[in-house]
Amino acid sequence: MSLQLTTAQDIAHALATQHAVMLAGDASSYAQAVHDSDAQLSADMAGVLQGCRMLGFLEHDAQCVAHAWQAQTQRTGQFSLNDWPCTRQDFGVAAVPRANAFPACPQHLGLYAVLPDAPWVGRMARAGVPTVQLRFKSDDAAAIRQEVRAAVQAVQGTHALLFINDHWQIAIDEGAYGVHLGQEDMDDAPLEKIRAAGLRLGLSTHGYAEMLRADAVSPSYIALGAVFPTTLKRMQTAPQGTGRLYAYAQLMQHSPLVAIGGIDEATISAVMRSGVGSIAVVRAITGADAPEAAAHQLQELMR
C-alpha cells in the first residue's frame, strides 16, 4: 500500500517501530498519542506527530520533527518513513556564517570538566583538561566574584578555556573566556552585551525546540543533554539517549557541540561516535578517587 494512502494510525505505528532508537522515557500508547487537533492535519503530518509522541517526545519537540518531516517531503517530493529528518534547511536553521554570531570557540573543545570551585578549576587545568567550567553556587555576590576571579587566575599559564556558569556580568568584569547559560537564563541575560564584550557563549539544550531556539542566537557552542540519567539536578526531560544524540549532532554539525549528562568511561566512546566535539563530565572527575588520572583516561578514550 502506498504510504500516501495509509492512515495516520498506520504511519504512527510504523514510525514508532522503525525509529524505536529515538524512544526516551516511557513509550505512549497510540490512544494516548492522538490529540483532537490532529483531525485538522493530513494523515502524514498527524501520523508523524503521533509517532513522535509514542516515542516520548515532548509536544514542542514532536511539532518540530513533524514540521521538518513535512519540509523534507516537499523538498524531496516523497514521504519516506525511513529517513528521520536531519537536514538543516528542513528545520529552518539559518546558513552559516552569520552576522549575529558569538565569537568562535574550537570546533572540538575536547574533555569539558564542570567544576564546583576555583581550586578544582586550577587542578584540572594543570592536569591538561582543555575546557573547564566553573559552576559555583552561592547567593553571596562577593563570594561569587572572588571565586570567578580566582578561577580566571587559576587557568593562567595553562591551555584551558574557562567558561563561567550563569554569572555573566562577573565573567565579563573578570575577563573569563566565556559564559554558559541554561535555557531559562536566555530570557534574562543581555546576550548582545555578552557578545559585545567578546565572550564566548555556550547554551544548554534538551531537545529539538530548545536546540532551534539556542541556535537562532548563534552561540559559540551548543550543549546537548542529558544523554544518560544523572542525579546532579532534577531534569524536566527524560535522558535523551544516544539515538537522539546522533540525530541532534547530525542536524547541528555546523556548530561546536558538547554532550553532557551521566557520561563516564563506559559510555564515552559511544557518545563520541555521534560526532560531537566535546564531552562534559562532572562526577566522572570530581567523584573519582584519582581525578587527574580519570581526566587522562577519559581523554584517551575520546581519541
Side-chain angles (χ1 to χ4, degrees), residues 5-254:
L5 300 178
T6 58
T7 67
Q9 183 172 358
D10 293 331
I11 293 171
H13 279 291
L15 185 150
T17 299
Q18 187 160 336
H19 298 284
V21 68
M22 294 294 185
L23 176 65
D26 296 326
S28 297
S29 68
Y30 178 72
Q32 293 172 314
V34 176
H35 294 184
D36 290 344
S37 57
D38 298 344
Q40 308 300 318
L41 304 174
S42 67
D44 291 352
M45 183 78 165
V48 170
L49 262 177
Q50 292 158 5
C52 287
R53 293 171 189 147
M54 292 170 71
L55 291 171
F57 280 95
L58 298 179
E59 184 63 20
H60 57 192
D61 293 327
Q63 292 282 347
C64 287
V65 175
H67 284 100
W69 221 306
Q70 187 175 49
Q72 176 178 263
T73 299
Q74 293 173 346
R75 177 174 56 82
T76 62
Q78 63 178 0
F79 175 71
S80 171
L81 271 180
N82 296 325
D83 303 314
W84 190 273
C86 289
T87 301
R88 194 167 60 193
Q89 69 191 83
D90 295 333
F91 283 87
V93 174
V96 290
R98 303 173 187 170
N100 71 332
F102 274 79
C105 65
Q107 187 76 15
H108 298 277
L109 285 164
L111 184 64
Y112 188 140
V114 180
L115 304 162
D117 55 37
W120 266 109
V121 166
R123 184 176 177 181
M124 289 300 102
R126 293 188 297 273
V129 176
T131 308
V132 291
Q133 179 188 130
L134 173 67
R135 184 187 282 171
F136 181 69
K137 301 297 182 182
S138 174
D139 294 325
D140 184 337
I144 293 169
R145 183 172 296 277
Q146 180 178 347
E147 206 69 27
V148 171
R149 180 175 295 163
V152 170
Q153 294 172 350
V155 300
Q156 292 178 1
T158 75
H159 296 293
L161 306 178
L162 172 64
F163 287 87
I164 305 299
N165 184 274
D166 290 346
H167 308 300
W168 56 267
Q169 183 61 64
I170 298 175
I172 292 173
D173 296 343
E174 299 300 331
Y177 179 79
V179 174
H180 181 91
L181 299 177
Q183 285 281 314
E184 63 280 2
D185 303 311
M186 288 178 62
D187 295 326
D188 300 325
L191 299 184
E192 289 293 340
K193 183 175 182 179
I194 297 171
R195 183 189 293 111
L199 270 69
R200 282 76 178 170
L201 175 67
L203 293 174
S204 293
T205 67
H206 310 90
Y208 281 106
E210 292 188 359
M211 278 193 303
L212 297 178
R213 180 173 184 250
D215 183 73
V217 303
S218 303
S220 306
Y221 74 78
I222 294 175
L224 311 173
V227 181
F228 302 113
T230 175
T231 59
L232 290 174
K233 60 189 297 188
R234 183 178 178 84
M235 303 300 296
Q236 295 182 338
T237 55
Q240 302 290 296
T242 54
R244 292 191 187 188
L245 175 65
Y246 285 25
Y248 298 161
Q250 186 175 346
L251 174 61
M252 292 294 171
Q253 60 185 286
H254 59 282

Side-chain angles (χ1 to χ4, degrees), residues 119 223 282:
V282 184

